[in-house]
């Protein structure tokens, strides 16, 4: 596993951590509601576990599919899947919203799992597994879990830092001044990933 | 969908008080002379050449809708952290016809001064998809757009009434909100404590008790609503019933604290059948149990029989009849509209259990018939009150509901009035602001960009 490969998973971890829909904003709201800085850290445990589990499920499915199709078919299939999902997320703006503010750690875990899954967080990582420049990818037990681990760690650290800064220093005004539509960027990254699988 | 957040959304209620002053007000007007109702757009920007003028009137295509508490498709609740989507725009007003059960959706984006109807949801569709009729109040919220409906899904509107949902993206009717409604039967207003996943609903009555006017006999018999209901926002199940007692008839507008950390709110009771007083009650959470207590009593005012309308002559007094209340975004001031006595009273409710009166204005009233300070005659009394987000301007109108208007007042002429507020307490009617709407009876007001009763918030107020 080379540096580019490392960077891919870490950078996407950083990106997922920055996205307010993946947890930091929820963590800030809960900390405010409970008036507890500790909540920033504690709430991130179920958020990170939910995120990681969603990735593991996606990548396991990815590996299972590899058993049944040729590498060429796989390349085409996943390229189209990512591009298709990216476009679908651009068009379909609906989202689940039955999770509310009064949550315990288990609710947060489920919420994080579903947010990551419904946004295709795991799909976004597939280009890293499909990258043929590195033969290590075929050793799930060596590489796969490690890759998901460093991704989630990067996501966790980023998310905690942002949540902490917003809660302690910056304040919520940032939501009015610095919000950009993460859904658009998210779709764009998925489509880019699909193109990467196809052409690289 | 925008690339950035809608600038009218604020994460906390206190931050929303920094909002710029409104430039337009949307006023629903009722026409009782065989003509359709309208949505009037009023210029409220003092620096505009059209200040205090109706800059456009959207005349609805049907007669007899009786427009009531309309509201926005989206609001600050779209910043809620479990599904943050502040790119959804506040642009559509959903306008319910209480008498017709029809619901209009108008777009204010292309030209805010001239809203256009983009969709009409017919009564049949509402009845069929939701099992309700007589839509009354709109609130944007965590699962889309919520609409309270006072009648069941038949022509007669036999209960129970309740809440239905409209999808905030497609604007399609989704269906009934309740899962297990428990003993709840009457509906009216609803609102929530977003930080605690609790919904509170109130009770007016079913259509048989209000469409043809106030049924005095039924009121004396305690037949109108006198309870609040607490629900789980997540499961849509009924949790608890709070009974204010049969003598407290018609429990209407709900104003929970705007800070989602808090667990209290205020509700107005129209009339106590024993002494004709009106009252404000404070509900609160106490060790896991919701409770309610009376915190303001406004007594009836003695008046000579010849000064009073027919239904009140026998009592020799004018009842205050609290028909609307409004709470400032910092939870500091509560405005209570007494449609019967022609007063709006301002209370400091910093301590929600010990409100202190800090101001009073007078206009109209069944007995006093007080003129506007400009000298203009003011029929009716102050009814719907809307407060600007910064808490500095209060706008109000004078019509309640056509058949009730006619019982209490002779020939109400619509007006739209403003009062200026001292944020340290006290307020007075702006003597230079009186808009005469003539035969058009004015009802609900919404302010461009939002107002003090249009939004709900998921984030508690920040310390500084």
């Amino acid at each position: 596993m080379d540096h580019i490969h490392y960077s891919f998973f870490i950078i996407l971890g950083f990106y997922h951590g920055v996205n307010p829909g993946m947890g930091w904003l929820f963590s800030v709201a809960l900390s405010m509601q409970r008036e507890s800085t500790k909540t920033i850290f504690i709430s991130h445990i179920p958020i990170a576990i939910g995120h990681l589990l969603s990735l593991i499920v996606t990548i396991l499915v990815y590996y299972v599919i590899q058993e049944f199709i040729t590498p060429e078919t796989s390349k085409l299939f996943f390229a189209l899947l990512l591009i298709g999902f990216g476009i679908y997320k651009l068009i379909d703006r609906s989202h689940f919203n039955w999770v509310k503010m009064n949550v315990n750690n288990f609710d947060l875990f489920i919420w994080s799992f579903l947010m990551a899954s419904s946004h295709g967080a795991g799909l976004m990582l597939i280009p890293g597994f499909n990258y043929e420049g590195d033969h290590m990818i075929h050793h799930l037990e060596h590489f796969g879990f490690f890759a998901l681990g460093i991704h989630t760690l990067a996501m966790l650290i980023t998310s905690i830092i942002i949540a902490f800064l917003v809660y302690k220093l910056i304040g919520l005004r940032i939501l009015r001044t610095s919000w950009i539509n993460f859904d658009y960027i998210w779709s764009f990254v998925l489509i880019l990933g699909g193109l990467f699988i196809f052409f690289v | 969908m925008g690339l950035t957040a809608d600038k009218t959304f604020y994460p906390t209620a206190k931050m929303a008080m920094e909002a710029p002053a409104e430039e337009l007000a949307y006023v629903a007007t009722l026409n009782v002379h065989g003509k359709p109702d309208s949505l009037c757009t009023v210029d409220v920007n003092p620096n505009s050449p059209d200040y205090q003028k109706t800059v456009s009137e959207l005349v609805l295509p049907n007669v007899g809708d009786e427009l009531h508490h309309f509201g926005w498709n989206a609001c600050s609740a779209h910043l809620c952290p479990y599904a943050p989507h502040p790119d959804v725009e506040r642009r559509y007003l959903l306008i319910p016809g209480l008498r017709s059960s029809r619901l209009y959706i108008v777009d204010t984006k292309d030209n805010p001064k001239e809203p256009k109807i983009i969709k009409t949801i017919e009564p049949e569709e509402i009845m069929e998809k939701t099992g309700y009729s007589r839509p009354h109040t709109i609130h944007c919220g965590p699962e889309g757009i919520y609409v309270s409906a006072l009648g069941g899904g038949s022509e007669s509107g036999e209960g129970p009434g309740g809440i239905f949902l409209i999808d905030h993206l497609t604007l399609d009717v989704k269906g009934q909100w309740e899962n297990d409604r428990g003993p709840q039967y009457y509906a009216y207003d609803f609102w929530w404590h977003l930080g605690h996943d609790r919904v509170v609903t109130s009770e007016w009555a079913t259509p048989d008790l209000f469409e043809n006017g106030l049924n005095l006999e039924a009121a004396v018999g305690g037949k109108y609503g006198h309870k609040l209901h607490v629900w789980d926002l997540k499961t849509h199940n009924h949790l608890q019933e709070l009974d204010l007692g049969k003598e407290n008839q018609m429990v209407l507008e709900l104003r929970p604290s705007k800070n989602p950390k808090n667990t209290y709110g205020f509700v107005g009771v129209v009339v106590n059948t024993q002494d004709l007083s009106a009252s404000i009650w404070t509900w609160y959470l106490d060790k896991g149990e919701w409770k309610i207590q009376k915190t303001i009593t406004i007594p009836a005012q003695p008046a000579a029989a010849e000064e009073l309308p027919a239904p009140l002559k026998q009592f020799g007094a004018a009842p205050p009849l609290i028909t609307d209340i409004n709470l400032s975004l910092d939870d500091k001031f509560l405005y209570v509209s007494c449609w019967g006595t022609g007063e709006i009273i301002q209370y400091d409710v910093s301590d929600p259990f010990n409100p202190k009166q800090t101001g009073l204005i007078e206009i109209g009233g069944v007995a006093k018939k007080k003129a506007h300070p400009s000298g203009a005659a003011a029929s009716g009394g102050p009814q719907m009150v809307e407060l600007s987000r910064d808490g500095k301007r209060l706008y109000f109108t004078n019509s309640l509901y056509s058949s009730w208007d006619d019982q209490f007042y002779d020939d109400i002429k619509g007006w739209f009035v403003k009062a200026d507020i001292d944020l340290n307490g006290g307020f007075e009617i702006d003597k230079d602001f009186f808009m005469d709407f003539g035969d058009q009876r004015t009802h609900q007001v919404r302010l461009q960009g939002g107002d003090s009763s249009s939004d709900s918030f998921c984030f508690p107020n920040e310390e500084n």
Side-chain angles (χ1 to χ4, degrees):
Chain A
M1 188 164 153
D2 54 33
H3 290 307
I4 301 174
H5 230 141
Y6 271 122
S7 322
F8 173 82
F9 289 103
I10 292 171
I11 288 171
L12 281 184
F14 171 70
Y15 172 61
H16 288 182
V18 170
N19 189 331
M22 290 291 128
W24 69 259
L25 189 60
F26 211 151
S27 173
V28 169
L30 293 173
S31 304
M32 292 179 78
Q33 183 78 18
R34 297 170 192 169
E35 294 182 59
S36 138
T37 310
K38 212 169 74 180
T39 300
I40 293 279
F41 302 97
I42 292 179
S43 63
H44 269 91
I45 298 169
I47 287 171
I49 296 174
H51 190 84
L52 180 61
L53 189 69
S54 167
L55 304 179
I56 290 175
V57 169
T58 311
I59 299 306
L60 281 179
V61 170
Y62 167 80
Y63 274 99
V64 168
I65 291 174
Q66 299 306 308
E67 298 294 316
F68 297 98
I69 55 178
T70 64
E72 292 73 28
T73 318
S74 159
K75 206 171 154 107
L76 187 67
F77 175 76
F78 283 102
L80 289 176
L81 182 66
L82 261 73
I83 294 169
F85 194 72
I87 294 171
Y88 165 75
K89 292 301 280 183
L90 273 183
I91 299 166
D92 182 34
R93 314 275 309 160
S94 62
H95 48 87
F96 73 90
N97 47 19
W98 43 264
V99 175
K100 299 290 184 301
M101 290 299 295
N102 191 9
V103 287
N104 58 30
N105 287 332
F106 184 73
D107 298 330
L108 266 184
F109 159 72
I110 296 287
W111 173 83
S112 177
F113 175 79
L114 290 175
M115 279 304 259
S117 305
S118 64
H119 282 79
L123 287 182
M124 204 179 272
L125 300 184
I126 285 179
F129 289 89
N130 216 295
Y131 176 51
E132 290 188 4
D134 190 336
H135 66 277
M136 286 299 285
I137 53 162
H138 300 298
H139 299 279
L140 177 63
E141 65 281 15
H142 295 129
F143 171 72
F145 290 121
F146 181 67
L148 298 182
I150 56 168
H151 166 86
T152 305
L153 194 64
M155 178 266 185
L156 177 66
I157 291 169
T158 312
S159 188
I160 286 180
I161 290 174
I162 295 177
F164 185 80
L165 288 178
V166 170
Y167 180 62
K168 279 293 195 192
L169 291 171
I170 304 170
L172 289 168
R173 206 171 303 275
I174 192 175
L175 295 182
R176 294 182 42 76
T177 53
S178 308
W179 185 282
I180 37 169
N181 192 329
F182 272 87
D183 290 352
Y184 283 145
I185 304 171
W186 192 273
S187 291
F188 176 72
V189 175
L190 280 170
I191 293 167
L192 207 67
L195 293 174
F196 178 86
I197 295 174
F198 194 74
F199 288 110
V200 180
Chain B
M1 305 295 155
L3 274 176
T4 54
D6 186 311
K7 287 290 179 246
T8 69
F9 295 169
Y10 291 83
T12 72
K14 266 201 174 153
M15 211 183 288
M17 295 189 83
E18 299 166 7
E22 61 288 345
E23 297 184 353
L24 296 173
Y26 298 104
V27 183
T29 64
L30 163 77
N31 207 311
V32 290
H33 299 284
K35 291 185 197 151
D37 297 352
S38 298
L39 181 72
C40 294
T41 307
V42 173
D43 190 325
V44 291
N45 173 10
N47 301 316
S48 159
D50 290 329
Y51 183 50
Q52 274 195 57
K53 283 184 191 150
T54 298
V55 289
S56 79
E57 181 182 348
L58 173 66
V59 180
L60 298 176
N62 299 282
V63 173
D65 286 315
E66 280 236 49
L67 305 184
H68 267 248
H69 302 187
F70 62 104
W72 295 102
N73 66 310
C75 62
S76 302
H78 280 278
L79 286 166
C80 285
Y82 42 78
H85 283 274
D87 46 295
V88 177
E89 296 165 302
R90 184 199 304 269
R91 67 182 281 186
Y92 304 111
L93 283 168
L94 287 87
I95 311 176
L98 176 57
R99 201 171 277 274
S100 66
S101 298
R102 192 176 286 110
L103 203 147
Y104 299 97
I105 303 179
V106 304
D107 189 354
T108 66
K109 192 187 180 187
D110 294 338
N111 182 359
K113 291 188 174 179
E114 207 180 332
K116 293 261 181 300
I117 295 179
I118 56 141
K119 181 171 182 167
T120 305
I121 302 173
E122 295 295 337
E124 296 75 25
E125 184 180 347
I126 292 177
M127 292 183 199
E128 194 180 307
K129 287 188 178 165
T130 72
Y132 290 136
S133 64
R134 281 76 171 181
H136 186 269
T137 298
I138 312 282
H139 280 308
C140 54
E143 276 173 272
I145 304 162
Y146 296 65
V147 186
S148 75
L150 306 193
S154 64
E155 278 301 313
S156 66
E158 198 178 320
I163 297 171
F164 67 89
L165 284 170
I166 292 181
D167 188 289
H168 67 282
L169 294 171
T170 62
L171 302 176
D172 291 331
V173 177
K174 282 166 76 175
Q176 208 167 89
W177 174 79
E178 293 83 357
N179 186 20
D180 173 5
R181 72 169 65 249
Q184 179 269 333
Y185 188 77
Y186 287 151
Y188 184 73
D189 199 9
F190 63 99
W191 225 348
W192 35 61
H193 294 286
L194 288 184
H196 301 267
D197 296 352
R198 291 294 175 265
V199 178
V200 180
T201 67
S202 63
E203 296 186 339
W204 184 16
T206 40
D208 53 312
L209 282 173
F210 65 77
E211 287 194 334
N212 302 318
L214 168 67
N215 181 335
L216 262 182
E217 204 178 314
V220 171
K223 295 283 180 0
Y224 285 86
H226 49 87
K227 292 172 192 162
L228 291 191
H229 301 273
V230 184
W231 308 71
D232 187 326
L233 181 64
K234 216 185 285 187
T235 62
H236 308 186
N237 288 338
H238 187 279
L239 295 175
Q240 217 187 308
E241 180 182 271
L242 303 172
D243 195 342
L244 281 63
K246 262 173 85 167
E247 66 281 10
N248 290 300
Q249 287 288 282
M250 296 174 267
V251 189
L252 299 184
E253 298 289 331
L254 299 159
R255 296 292 177 265
S257 161
K258 300 295 190 329
N259 185 343
K261 208 191 290 184
N262 292 337
T263 45
Y264 69 84
F266 304 96
V267 62
V269 172
V270 175
V271 68
N272 179 302
T273 50
Q274 282 161 5
D275 59 9
L276 295 186
S277 65
S279 51
I280 298 289
W281 297 59
T282 305
W283 77 80
Y284 59 100
L285 184 63
D286 180 31
K287 299 183 197 84
E289 197 187 339
W290 292 89
K291 295 179 177 170
I292 191 160
Q293 69 183 58
K294 194 199 281 193
T295 44
I296 299 173
T297 304
I298 304 175
Q301 299 178 359
E306 60 270 22
E307 290 180 320
L308 291 165
L312 297 174
K313 283 193 192 301
Q314 53 177 312
F315 303 113
L321 306 175
I322 295 176
T323 50
D324 195 17
I325 61 175
N326 215 313
L327 181 63
S328 62
L329 287 173
D330 55 1
D331 295 327
K332 187 172 180 198
F333 289 117
L334 186 73
Y335 295 88
V336 177
S337 164
C338 303
W339 188 63
T341 43
E343 295 174 350
I344 297 179
I345 309 177
Q346 180 197 50
Y347 295 93
D348 182 335
V349 289
S350 306
D351 175 355
F353 299 101
N354 290 297
K356 300 209 169 17
Q357 183 173 328
T358 44
L360 182 145
I361 56 179
E362 293 177 302
I363 182 167
V366 288
K368 278 188 292 201
K369 303 180 178 67
K370 181 117 177 163
H372 184 267
S374 66
S379 59
Q383 209 279 104
M384 297 303 297
V385 284
E386 197 45 74
L387 180 64
S388 65
R389 285 173 290 178
D390 58 14
K392 293 177 183 165
R393 292 166 303 285
L394 193 74
Y395 298 92
F396 46 100
T397 58
N398 63 335
S399 164
L400 178 64
Y401 184 70
S402 59
S403 42
W404 295 45
D405 286 349
D406 298 337
Q407 281 176 302
F408 289 94
Y409 289 100
D410 290 333
D411 194 25
I412 282 191
K413 299 289 182 196
W415 46 251
F416 179 53
V417 167
K418 171 182 153 246
D420 295 313
I421 294 157
D422 178 350
L423 293 181
N424 295 314
F427 65 143
E428 56 182 27
I429 298 178
D430 179 349
K431 66 177 173 43
D432 299 319
F433 195 110
F434 182 87
M435 286 183 66
D436 184 358
F437 276 76
D439 282 341
Q440 284 173 292
R441 295 187 188 173
T442 50
H443 193 72
Q444 166 88 19
V445 179
R446 284 270 168 238
L447 305 178
Q448 183 188 21
D451 46 54
S452 288
S453 71
S454 63
D455 286 39
S456 34
F457 306 86
C458 270
F459 297 91
N461 293 328
E462 289 170 306
E463 307 278 310
N464 302 309

